[in-house]
Amino acid sequence: MEQFVTFGIVGLSTAAIYAIIGSGLVVTYTTTGVFNFAHGATGMMAAFSYWQLSVGWGWPVWLSVATVLLVLAPAFGLLVELLVRPVQALGEAEKLVMTIALLSGLIALARWIWNPNKARSLPRFFAEQNSFHIGSATISWHQALTLVVAIAVAVSLRILMLRTRTGTEMRATVDDRALVGLTGADPVRANRFAWILGTVLAAIGGILIAPMVALDATQLSLVIVSAYAAAIFGRLKSLPMTFVGAIVVGCMEAYLTGYLPQNPYLPGLRLAAPAILLLLALLLFPHGRLRGRDRHLSAVPLPSVRGTLAFAGVIVAFGLVLATVLGEGDLITYGQIFAFGVIALSFVPLVGYAGQISLAQLTMAGVGAIVCARLGGNGQWWALLAVMVIAGIVGAVIAIPALRLNGVYLALGTAAIAAVFDRWIFTIPSFEVFGVEIVLFDQGSVDLVGPRLFGLEVNTPAELTVFSAICLALVTIAVAALRRGRLGRRLIALRDSEAAFATLGGSLLLTKMLVFALAAGIAGLGGALYGMQLMSVTAEQFSFVAGLGIFLIAVVGGLGVVGNGLFTGTMIAGPLNAIVALWPAAANLVQTLPAAAGLAYSSGAVDDGVVPSLRRRWESALRDRLVMAVLLGWIAALWVLRVNDVVNGYVLVVGVVIGALAARSWAEARHRQVPAEPEIPVELWGISRPWTAEDGEVLSREVAARS
């Protein structure tokens, strides 16, 4: 019994922190309609700032806490409010991208400022004071402080929301923002205060929890998963139920730590328990209508057969050029373009066509890498088919919760699934099912080899690059064919209105399972190609955080176009790697670029995606056969010179860029139309232009004709 009480006290102290963080999440969502995925990263930045002031610079603890909570956190809250304000009136996707970009960017920024290879720790508050006892339970002063702060936060929030004008404005803004403005209140002020308050609460939680866990940017940011579960208990609107949910989560974690059997398969279960609880809460609790459901759906272009085949040829030609001009070491790096492209292309049918937001696609790629490693260890070509089938089955299972969820809730659910794979499933050692041994990452790395096709072994980096390019070209053709077919039209109808889709006889279960399975199969193929290119991969390379960058670049590229695969793969494995190779000191800066791109997209700097925008700008050149023939001839000539070592790689790249820009300018000049002179009204003849004798004759004829 004594042990039970002790773990209960530990759970309550942790629950107090989750309650503080979760209440900040609820305040911002209910007031502004924006679910802040970066809420945990905000607390993480506060914890690191507190460490820097108190430990790094030796400031007094009270001054460090005051600076973080009264200066840095409110200032950051105001900054976030300015960033989020333009997207508040937009749809769920734009809001989601904004906060996911903040999450990814803050993690990258923290790892840039504070070297992750250097161990850091924070002392607990009042660590020098002796613990005290309540009955048989021993309580530290840090635990007591967290409980007191949580109670103070709960009381203060109740007074704020029910007894103050600001709280009334915040609650009124939830119900009808326009009506609040008519009554003389200021919705912008209410939103600004909500973001400041939410940021301060996240900072309090981050400072309190940092001494209890490793001071790691990713781990601290993902502590929010537990607070997510608490907030979902409150259905993102009830603060009391959020505190109840926090108690459930905190006590569950504590009791799992104390009573979970010593088993090599179960340690990861304790780490994954908050994500599992989050998923269960999403599925079991009723959810009200999401704030801001007025989605701004963009048109999904219909790719032409001729254009798709030509684009597929460009992909294969690009792979051949890379394979012939790059060395083996560079090919391992830049050959990943096509593997990442396949993974990114899985977002097009799932998110772009069907509107089903998923943050677990890189997890599906990890499943594909495992299957390929275990079934294709000797180069069996059919292992790639097995990869797509097995990953597709896993995706179909994920689709079952998708029937219950949509929008932000679906994003949370798929994020929880990714966290469960990260923390538990991918860490499980080998086991047997009906006498068949199942081996995942086996707490290490897995080795992959290229396939044997038609008696040929595809093993060298150059061969794997060309093979991956062919795979990306084939998947691009398949996704374009899907868009042109009946299923593609049904998926777009599903995206536009699930209720109307079901009313007209569509099967939500079958359609969602089919599109999730299809997308997971594509992502699994991309994961297998990625593993082949690197020859060995670990579970960390398929983590939830690693997948955020791919998601952000794919969104910026345009989720409704098939060219997004090549664009995303090129951006991730091309310029980002090239910048680091040319300027090693910019490695940390490069990690923030996907987040910056996501922020630019959600703020409206990019309209419907980079790929559609580029397509419109190059329309005249792409349709001019003479211009394209000259451009292709120029590129082929540069490639021949590079293969024969007449020019180096830099000359090749610069020459291609110059040739492409020149071709575009030439095409625009060839198709430029002389604008017609505007017609001048008759009453302005002789004023806007000189009067002529012919004008008099024209007027005379018109008068005679009408008389």
Side-chain angles (χ1 to χ4, degrees):
M1 186 63 183
E2 179 179 347
Q3 186 182 26
F4 183 85
V5 174
T6 300
F7 283 118
I9 296 296
V10 173
L12 288 176
S13 64
T14 307
I17 299 173
Y18 294 158
I20 294 169
I21 300 175
S23 60
L25 190 65
V26 171
V27 166
T28 54
Y29 180 76
T30 54
T31 305
T32 67
V34 177
F35 187 90
N36 186 12
F37 267 88
H39 197 65
T42 301
M44 175 271 297
M45 290 296 290
F48 271 98
S49 299
Y50 169 65
W51 177 91
Q52 185 64 55
L53 296 175
S54 62
V55 178
W57 294 343
W59 288 21
V61 170
W62 68 268
L63 182 58
S64 301
V65 172
T67 301
V68 172
L69 298 184
L70 301 180
V71 179
L72 299 181
F76 186 74
L78 286 174
L79 176 62
V80 174
E81 192 273 334
L82 289 174
L83 290 174
V84 171
R85 189 186 302 172
V87 304
Q88 272 189 248
L90 301 182
E92 298 165 21
E94 288 81 2
K95 300 175 185 178
L96 183 67
V97 170
M98 170 67 78
T99 57
I100 288 178
L102 278 175
L103 170 61
S104 177
L106 289 177
I107 292 176
L109 183 62
R111 294 173 67 87
W112 184 1
I113 298 173
W114 295 282
N115 185 356
N117 297 320
K118 180 181 178 181
R120 295 178 180 84
S121 62
L122 275 169
R124 301 193 178 203
F125 289 99
F126 307 112
E128 68 281 359
Q129 302 293 328
N130 294 326
S131 302
F132 60 93
H133 299 272
I134 298 180
S136 59
T138 301
I139 303 177
S140 69
W141 283 98
H142 185 93
Q143 292 172 326
L145 176 65
T146 58
L147 293 171
V148 171
V149 171
I151 294 172
V153 167
V155 174
S156 300
L157 286 176
R158 182 170 181 81
I159 294 174
L160 170 69
M161 300 300 289
L162 299 180
R163 301 295 179 88
T164 66
R165 176 178 175 83
T166 301
T168 303
E169 285 186 357
M170 292 169 63
R171 289 186 289 111
T173 302
V174 176
D175 298 329
D176 195 323
R177 183 181 179 90
L179 185 60
V180 170
L182 294 176
T183 62
D186 188 353
V188 174
R189 180 177 60 195
N191 288 351
R192 186 179 297 124
F193 184 81
W195 278 109
I196 292 175
L197 179 59
T199 303
V200 170
L201 291 174
I204 293 173
I207 291 174
L208 289 175
I209 203 171
M212 304 166 61
V213 298
L215 202 59
D216 176 78
T218 302
Q219 182 176 342
L220 271 175
S221 297
L222 295 185
V223 164
I224 191 64
V225 172
S226 301
Y228 285 164
I232 293 300
F233 265 79
R235 293 189 290 175
L236 295 178
K237 62 182 181 180
S238 171
L239 289 173
M241 286 304 298
T242 299
F243 276 72
V244 171
I247 293 173
V248 172
V249 176
C251 290
M252 178 193 64
E253 289 183 350
Y255 287 126
L256 283 177
T257 301
Y259 294 103
L260 199 66
Q262 297 297 320
N263 187 305
Y265 303 100
L266 296 181
L269 175 61
R270 182 186 65 81
L271 299 176
I276 296 174
L277 189 62
L278 169 61
L279 185 60
L280 291 176
L282 286 167
L283 297 177
L284 298 178
F285 292 169
H287 305 298
R289 185 178 68 89
L290 282 169
R291 301 247 4 242
R293 286 302 308 279
D294 49 327
R295 296 177 297 171
H296 294 248
L297 299 175
S298 58
V300 180
L302 183 67
S304 65
V305 175
R306 180 179 176 182
T308 301
L309 294 177
F311 183 68
V314 169
I315 294 174
V316 176
F318 185 32
L320 287 170
V321 170
L322 290 183
T324 52
V325 303
L326 297 180
E328 184 171 309
D330 288 335
L331 278 174
I332 294 176
T333 299
Y334 298 106
Q336 300 171 27
I337 287 175
F338 307 103
F340 280 125
V342 174
I343 297 172
L345 203 55
S346 69
F347 287 107
V348 174
L350 183 62
V351 187
Y353 296 173
Q356 305 298 306
I357 301 173
S358 174
L359 301 179
Q361 290 307 100
L362 192 62
T363 301
M364 298 300 99
V367 172
I370 292 172
V371 173
C372 187
R374 303 309 175 191
L375 299 183
N378 294 319
Q380 294 90 334
W381 63 269
W382 52 263
L384 292 175
L385 300 179
V387 162
M388 300 183 69
V389 171
I390 295 176
I393 293 173
V394 176
V397 173
I398 292 177
I400 296 176
L403 286 173
R404 183 77 173 81
L405 308 173
N406 56 57
V408 170
Y409 296 131
L410 180 57
L412 276 173
T414 54
I417 291 171
V420 170
F421 273 84
D422 289 353
R423 300 178 179 183
W424 183 26
I425 296 178
F426 281 162
T427 65
I428 294 177
S430 60
F431 58 94
E432 289 189 1
V433 177
F434 302 114
V436 179
E437 185 179 21
I438 306 296
V439 184
L440 303 180
F441 283 101
D442 202 15
Q443 300 176 321
S445 61
V446 295
D447 298 328
L448 292 91
V449 298
R452 289 199 309 268
L453 298 170
F454 308 110
L456 300 176
E457 293 187 359
V458 183
N459 275 329
T460 67
E463 294 169 346
L464 287 170
T465 297
V466 176
F467 178 71
S468 298
I470 294 173
C471 289
L472 176 58
L474 293 176
V475 174
T476 299
I477 293 173
V479 173
L482 173 68
R483 170 64 183 89
R484 294 182 61 84
R486 181 184 179 190
L487 179 58
R489 295 190 294 273
R490 293 172 67 88
L491 293 179
I492 294 173
L494 174 69
R495 181 198 67 159
D496 292 343
S497 173
E498 291 188 6
F501 178 80
T503 302
L504 295 175
S507 172
L508 291 176
L509 175 61
L510 181 61
T511 305
K512 287 190 176 184
M513 289 185 66
L514 186 59
V515 71
F516 267 90
L518 176 64
I522 294 173
L525 175 62
L529 296 173
Y530 177 57
M532 291 177 185
Q533 198 74 33
L534 294 180
M535 295 178 284
S536 179
V537 289
T538 63
E540 288 75 15
Q541 291 169 288
F542 301 97
S543 67
F544 167 67
V545 174
L548 294 181
I550 300 177
F551 174 76
L552 291 174
I553 298 297
V555 169
V556 172
L559 291 173
V561 292
V562 295
N564 195 15
L566 181 62
F567 170 81
T568 304
T570 302
M571 290 297 102
I572 292 176
L576 299 187
N577 285 327
I579 292 173
V580 176
L582 296 173
W583 185 20
N588 290 312
L589 174 63
V590 166
Q591 298 301 317
T592 65
L593 294 182
L599 292 173
Y601 171 83
S602 55
S603 65
V606 181
D607 188 10
D608 55 350
V610 173
V611 175
S613 177
L614 290 175
R615 181 71 173 80
R616 288 191 295 269
R617 293 182 181 182
W618 285 81
E619 184 76 25
S620 58
L622 293 173
R623 293 185 177 277
D624 193 314
R625 294 185 179 182
L626 176 61
V627 171
M628 292 306 298
V630 172
L631 176 60
L632 292 176
W634 170 254
I635 295 175
L638 289 173
W639 173 61
V640 171
L641 294 175
R642 176 65 188 92
V643 170
N644 290 280
D645 290 326
V646 177
V647 299
N648 58 26
Y650 295 105
V651 173
L652 172 64
V653 173
V654 173
V656 170
V657 171
I658 293 176
L661 295 176
R664 178 189 167 195
S665 299
W666 183 26
E668 290 178 350
R670 279 169 52 85
H671 297 278
R672 184 177 295 117
Q673 296 180 354
V674 179
E677 293 185 2
E679 183 177 354
I680 300 175
V682 64
E683 59 269 19
L684 296 180
W685 290 2
I687 299 175
S688 296
R689 64 172 177 79
W691 179 268
T692 64
E694 290 79 6
D695 294 339
E697 295 179 6
V698 171
L699 289 177
S700 298
R701 293 194 195 98
E702 289 294 328
V703 171
R706 296 178 183 274
S707 61

